[in-house]
Each structure stands twice: as C-alpha cells, then as structure tokens.
Amino acid sequence: MRPDTPATPAENTPGTSRTDVDAHVVEAERLERTAAMYPEDAEQLLLQAAAHYELADVRDRATAHYDTLLASDSVHNPALIRALKAANLWEYGHEAEARAIITGIRTTAPRDPAPWTIVAESLESHDELEQAHETFTEALDLLLPEAERSDPPYAKHALLLGRHRVRRLLGADHDAWDALADQVNRTSVALDELHDPKRLWALGSENPAELKAEIARLRAELGTYREALSRPFPVAVLHWPSTEYAELMAAYPALDSEYPSYEAHLASIEGALRELSASGTQNLGIVTGTVPSYEAFAASEGSSPEDVSLLPQYATTLAARGRAVAWPPAGDGVCWCGSGSTYSGCHGSSA
C-alpha cells in the first residue's frame, strides 16, 4: 500500500484562489450525492467528482474515487480509470506506483484511445519524452489501421497531435504520422509552429512583429482548446431494449403514440440516425434507457413519465452523462439493437 500523502493545499498554488478551491470541492461533493441517487450513472459522475478534486488539488480524494470504481465489478472503462489514477498519483508524489500502472496499461493495450493519450501526456509532462513518444506511437500502430488513415476518427486526433508535439520537442524529422497530424490540424497555424519548443522564448521578445505573430498563434491554439472543451456530447437517439420496452408500455400505455410497436421503435432509431447522418450531423450515438432511470428522471423534472416531451430530454441527459454509444457500429460489429447479429446483417443491411 502507498503511504498516505496529503495533497498540497491548492490555495498555496499560484493562480488558484481559495474561492476556486471551495467551488471545486462543493461541486465534487454534489456529484458524489448525485451518484448515490443514480447508481447506474455512478461511474461517469464519480469521474467528474474526481476531476474537481484534482482541480482543487485534493488529490487523495480523487484517488479514493478511482480506487472505488476499479473495485467495482460493473466498471465500464477500467483502462481509462487506471490512466487517470496514474496521472493523478504522479502529480502528488507517487511516481513509482504511477509508472507501474502506466506499464500495465501499455502491456494490456486497450482499444480505447483515451487511456493511451492520458498516460502519454503524463509522461510528457514529467519530461519523459522518449517514453511519451513510444506510447503515442504504440497507440497509433494499434488503433489506427490503414483503412482509417485517410480520415482518422476525431477520438484519435489527440494521439496524432500529441505525438507530433513530442517529436518537435525531441527535434525529430517529420514522418508519415506527422503528415497525418498536419492533416487533422484544425487551426489556422501550422503544427510545426504551434509545437515549436522556441515559442515561449518569443514571448520575451521586444520585437512587436514577433509578439504579434506569437499572439496570433496562441489565439489559434486557444481556439482549438475551446473547441475541444465545448465539443457537444453525441446527438443521441433513445433505445429501449425489448424487456425495458415491454415494462415501459405496460406501465405507461399513453406512450403508444410514440412507440406503436417494438419493431417500429427499432426502425425509427435507425431511420432517424441515417437522416441525421445524411444531413451532415456528426458525433451520432445511441443511449439505452431503463424504466427505473426514466422514472427517476421524470420525478426530478416534476413531470409524469407519460409526458412524451420528456423522452428527448431523457436521451440528452443520458448522453451528457457519457452513456452514448457511437453510431454506426462497424459492419462486422454487433448491432446496436441487441439482436446479437452483426450490424451489416441486421439494421445496417440496407445501409
């Protein structure tokens, strides 16, 4: 077991006020209470609470949440939680344990890009540039097959951009992955400029032209961060599994105007998502409803579960809690409807 290490008081951290610390702790505690009320959403809510504790520099409480989640049998993404735990541990003095967790993540090779990004950036932030570079490269070799390289999925952009940034710090020459990073760069400033190790030196320049150019680059980079922070959760369509659908209709028959039959419900999901996709809408997903969760949501809204207008609000709330599954599945992946068939042989057969 690691020794108890008190977190550094955040009010003594430059740029952090006592008010900021209190606000983060209050929000973390609110999320903890909400997680106790909605156990089906506890994982996402406790991860958010842990993030607020990290921002308040109360890192031991964040670690406690990560440990609690990892001890659960129903945790959805253990690799992500281990990565967050490792990054947090390293920040308050538990380097050896953090390194051990990072090694374990790299060995198990998760298929989700987020854990790879977190551990690589943690290594980078502690000047382990060679290890960070190896980690980014391992992740891309594993997660970005040749078929996706003409248009890499958004979730994998951070791996490309992070690797490019580290290679600039190492002074490495451009390679094929760097060219792909240039391709996904959404700012008006070239990545070689954004990731130039000498950029900070320019801020000390007395040359107005150099300062103006650096301000333009910083604004472009800030725009990228704002886009990432404001990126909406998936445009999600609500799916009721067959057992939940039967229970829902038995309890609230007035909803038959929205759900005339289970087959029509499934067809409407696929149809709606295809229409959204054809109109250019991106980041589409499906959220799965349960009757107890829906009833609790209706109660929190002071409304009846038979109110049809609650259904899209419920879907949006589930998506905001990180419950959405991306649509469409891969052609040989399992169909979203729960039939057990492949998507290409089920609802994707006419795509």
Side-chain angles (χ1 to χ4, degrees):
M1 295 177 62
R2 63 176 175 274
D4 291 334
T5 304
T8 303
E11 62 268 28
N12 295 330
T13 303
T16 306
S17 69
R18 179 69 258 177
T19 302
D20 292 336
V21 173
D22 290 343
H24 284 302
V25 171
V26 167
E27 178 62 12
E29 292 173 346
R30 184 192 70 80
L31 289 163
E32 290 168 343
R33 293 191 296 272
T34 306
M37 295 170 58
Y38 299 97
E40 70 278 8
D41 296 324
E43 181 175 341
Q44 186 68 19
L45 293 167
L46 291 179
L47 285 178
Q48 293 178 32
H52 280 285
Y53 280 134
E54 289 190 27
L55 290 169
D57 223 1
V58 189
R59 294 186 175 274
D60 52 343
R61 290 197 191 181
T63 297
H65 279 320
Y66 298 139
D67 287 339
T68 297
L69 289 169
L70 290 170
S72 170
D73 293 332
S74 59
V75 64
H76 175 67
N77 194 342
L80 173 63
I81 297 169
R82 286 197 296 270
L84 291 168
K85 178 182 175 181
N88 180 55
L89 285 170
W90 205 333
E91 290 300 321
Y92 75 115
H94 298 293
E95 178 182 344
E97 187 173 356
R99 285 182 179 276
I101 295 172
I102 289 172
T103 299
I105 291 171
R106 293 175 64 181
T107 301
T108 56
R111 306 297 300 188
D112 177 9
W116 289 97
T117 302
I118 291 167
V119 298
E121 290 181 347
S122 182
L123 289 163
E124 178 189 355
S125 69
H126 291 90
D127 295 325
E128 299 284 348
L129 299 182
E130 292 287 355
Q131 286 295 311
H133 177 254
E134 288 180 14
T135 304
F136 277 126
T137 305
E138 286 173 17
L140 288 168
D141 287 339
L142 175 70
L143 301 178
L144 198 58
E146 190 71 38
E148 290 185 352
R149 294 180 191 179
S150 60
D151 185 19
Y154 182 86
K156 301 173 186 178
H157 287 191
L159 294 171
L160 289 163
L161 299 174
R163 183 180 182 276
H164 184 285
R165 182 178 60 248
V166 169
R167 285 174 65 80
R168 288 289 282 138
L169 291 169
L170 290 170
D173 293 332
H174 262 222
D175 63 7
W177 287 124
D178 291 325
L180 199 52
D182 287 328
Q183 177 183 317
V184 303
N185 175 31
R186 296 187 176 186
T187 73
S188 59
V189 178
L191 284 185
D192 280 347
E193 291 186 61
L194 285 177
H195 297 160
D196 186 352
K198 298 179 181 178
R199 284 179 58 204
L200 292 178
W201 303 348
L203 293 175
S205 172
E206 295 181 358
N207 185 325
E210 289 182 0
L211 287 172
K212 186 175 180 180
E214 183 57 26
I215 289 170
R217 286 192 289 266
L218 289 170
R219 282 177 173 167
E221 191 168 13
L222 180 60
T224 300
Y225 287 138
R226 283 176 173 164
E227 179 187 354
L229 289 172
S230 63
R231 181 171 174 78
F233 41 78
V235 176
V237 177
L238 181 60
H239 167 228
W240 297 97
S242 58
T243 54
E244 296 293 336
Y245 176 86
E247 183 179 345
L248 180 75
M249 299 310 298
Y252 308 107
L255 293 178
D256 62 359
S257 60
E258 183 72 14
Y259 304 124
S261 71
Y262 188 60
E263 292 72 19
H265 168 52
L266 297 181
S268 69
I269 293 173
E270 184 71 20
L273 288 167
R274 291 191 189 186
E275 287 183 12
L276 288 167
S277 179
S279 69
T281 304
Q282 299 181 350
N283 204 24
L284 298 172
I286 296 176
V287 289
T288 300
T290 66
V291 174
S293 170
Y294 178 56
E295 290 173 336
F297 175 76
S300 70
E301 294 293 314
S303 185
S304 166
E306 292 187 312
D307 183 354
V308 174
S309 67
L310 279 181
L311 295 168
Q313 297 177 44
Y314 174 55
T316 299
T317 300
L318 291 179
R321 293 175 181 169
R323 311 288 288 186
V325 175
W327 178 94
D332 57 353
V334 177
C335 188
W336 54 263
C337 71
S339 65
S341 302
T342 62
Y343 178 63
S344 60
C346 193
H347 282 86
S349 59
S350 60

